[in-house]
């Protein structure tokens, strides 16, 4: 269906949304430049703490992880508003096609891996994919990736664990407790350990892969600089500081360690979420109980 050319008002809103998308990342970069001292040589540390808040129980540190996570969330929010801005029924614009394709892909992924009963999980899985991927990709602009902070990823894993427990309790508390004693009561300690291992494994898998990629990238960049210095260090003038091996090679390595690995880990975390939640739900038992209740009523 034909559509009218975007008017001045429409373009102003678009420009505002793009500005609001970029502004949080610019603020995060500005905070890093102003409050984090420059270091010489190789320095691999955790998230820098900007300040602490005095709370009733203990102090609350506000670090790069919280600031950058907030920046990513705000940017994603305005990205979604930008993509959906101006979408109308039966009017096919480029952004409408992109939005429709993204929604169909996420819904198809959820239906394929979780079943139609969990169709409502599509927005949640889409949010996990975007949040995780963008939290890793902001390292491309020099920001600390929140996925490199164990606390951030652990928070996501605990949220997923709460969903797993919620669906396990759908058939009642006794059914949930009884599951720890299967196939025999002697397996109770092992089953409890396995339950706790779920969020721990999700956390360490995601955090470890992102952090290791960051560390390897830094070490390779330092090694390439050392190789350049070894070859050109004895030359006169500015030639002795010529970074030959740091031209292009780190960018190629970044395609894997930052771009590919970040998106891959986001996909794996989303897949594990779908797998754990769907397999934790005793669908047949729940449907039987539901039918019995309906007959009784």
């Amino acid at each position: 269906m034909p559509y009218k050319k975007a008017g001045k008002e429409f373009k102003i809103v678009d420009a505002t949304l793009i500005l609001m998308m970029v502004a949080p990342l610019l603020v995060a970069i500005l905070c890093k430049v102003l409050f984090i001292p420059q270091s010489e040589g190789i320095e691999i540390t955790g998230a820098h703490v900007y300040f602490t808040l005095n709370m009733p129980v203990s102090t609350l540190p506000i670090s790069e992880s919280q600031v950058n996570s907030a920046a990513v969330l705000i940017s994603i929010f305005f990205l979604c508003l930008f993509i959906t801005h101006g979408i109308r029924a039966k009017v096919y614009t480029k952004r409408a096609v992109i939005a429709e394709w993204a929604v169909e892909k996420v819904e198809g992924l959820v239906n394929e891996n979780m079943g139609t009963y969990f169709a409502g999980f599509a927005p949640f899985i889409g949010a996990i994919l975007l949040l995780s991927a963008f939290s890793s990709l902001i390292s491309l602009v020099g920001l600390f990736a929140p996925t490199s902070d164990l606390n951030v990823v652990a928070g996501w894993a605990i949220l997923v664990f709460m969903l797993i427990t919620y669906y396990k309790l759908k058939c009642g508390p006794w059914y949930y407790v009884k599951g720890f004693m299967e196939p025999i009561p002697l397996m109770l300690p092992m089953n409890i350990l396995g339950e706790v291992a779920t969020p721990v494994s999700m956390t360490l898998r995601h955090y470890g892969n992102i952090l290791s990629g960051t560390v390897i990238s830094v070490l390779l960049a330092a090694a390439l600089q050392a190789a350049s210095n070894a070859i050109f260090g004895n030359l006169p003038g500015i030639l002795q500081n010529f970074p030959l091996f740091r031209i292009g090679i780190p960018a190629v390595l970044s395609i894997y360690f930052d771009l590919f690995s970040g998106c891959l880990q986001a996909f794996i975390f989303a897949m594990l979420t779908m797998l754990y939640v769907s397999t934790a739900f005793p669908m047949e038992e729940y449907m039987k109980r539901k039918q019995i209740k309906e007959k009784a009523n």
Side-chain angles (χ1 to χ4, degrees):
M1 181 176 177
Y3 58 93
K4 294 181 181 179
K5 190 176 179 181
K8 186 177 179 181
E9 232 179 83
F10 187 92
K11 291 179 179 178
I12 290 173
V13 174
D14 262 4
T16 304
L17 291 174
I18 292 172
L19 178 62
M20 296 303 295
M21 224 191 326
V22 177
L25 298 177
L26 294 177
V27 171
I29 293 172
L30 186 62
C31 289
K32 180 174 182 178
V33 171
L34 292 177
F35 301 109
I36 300 179
Q38 292 292 326
S39 60
E40 296 181 2
I42 300 175
E43 184 177 349
I44 301 173
T45 60
H48 178 80
V49 177
Y50 290 123
F51 58 91
T52 57
L53 297 174
N54 292 321
M55 305 298 287
V57 178
S58 64
T59 57
L60 174 64
I62 303 300
S63 68
E64 282 183 283
S65 298
Q66 287 98 321
V67 172
N68 294 352
S69 292
V72 169
L73 284 170
I74 296 170
S75 295
I76 291 173
F77 174 71
F78 284 104
L79 172 64
C80 294
L81 289 180
F82 173 76
I83 292 176
T84 56
H85 179 223
I87 289 182
R88 299 289 183 271
K90 298 181 180 179
V91 178
Y92 295 98
T93 60
K94 289 180 181 178
R95 68 181 71 186
V97 172
I98 292 172
E100 186 177 345
W101 174 82
V103 170
E104 285 179 354
K105 286 297 180 182
V106 175
E107 287 181 345
L109 193 67
V110 171
N111 290 333
E112 183 181 347
N113 291 281
M114 301 183 77
T116 54
Y117 180 85
F118 292 95
F121 257 72
F124 179 71
I125 297 302
I128 286 177
L129 285 168
L130 284 174
L131 180 59
S132 178
F134 277 81
S135 293
S136 299
L137 293 177
I138 63 170
S139 62
L140 293 172
V141 294
L143 290 172
F144 179 83
T147 44
S148 296
D149 191 327
L150 185 64
N151 299 299
V152 172
V153 185
W156 300 350
I158 290 171
L159 176 60
V160 173
F161 180 68
M162 290 170 65
L163 285 171
I164 294 170
T165 306
Y166 169 76
Y167 279 97
K168 282 187 175 182
L169 287 167
K170 279 276 191 176
C171 290
W174 171 241
Y175 186 88
Y176 173 69
V177 173
K178 188 174 67 173
F180 287 104
M181 295 182 283
E182 293 179 353
I184 55 174
L186 288 175
M187 292 298 294
L188 177 63
M190 294 300 296
N191 287 332
I192 293 175
L193 185 62
E195 192 80 356
V196 175
T198 298
V200 173
S201 64
M202 289 185 73
T203 301
L204 295 180
R205 181 183 288 108
H206 197 304
Y207 161 75
N209 280 285
I210 299 299
L211 181 64
S212 62
T214 302
V215 172
I216 291 171
S217 296
V218 172
L219 293 176
L220 284 173
L224 291 169
Q225 182 61 50
S228 298
N229 292 338
I231 294 174
F232 297 97
N234 295 324
L235 295 178
I238 61 172
L239 290 176
Q240 63 180 342
N241 295 320
F242 185 66
L244 175 66
F245 296 113
R246 292 192 66 177
I247 300 175
I249 298 176
V252 174
L253 295 173
S254 181
I255 292 175
Y256 175 78
F257 290 117
D258 294 321
L259 186 60
F260 176 74
S261 181
C263 294
L264 178 63
Q265 293 309 316
F267 179 75
I268 291 173
F269 194 88
M271 288 294 293
L272 289 174
T273 298
M274 291 187 286
L275 175 66
Y276 287 141
V277 172
S278 59
T279 54
F281 181 46
M283 178 75 75
E284 293 182 4
E285 183 68 21
Y286 177 75
M287 290 303 176
K288 286 179 184 177
R289 288 169 176 255
K290 191 175 180 181
Q291 289 175 357
I292 292 172
K293 287 181 180 180
E294 288 176 352
K295 289 178 180 178
N297 295 330

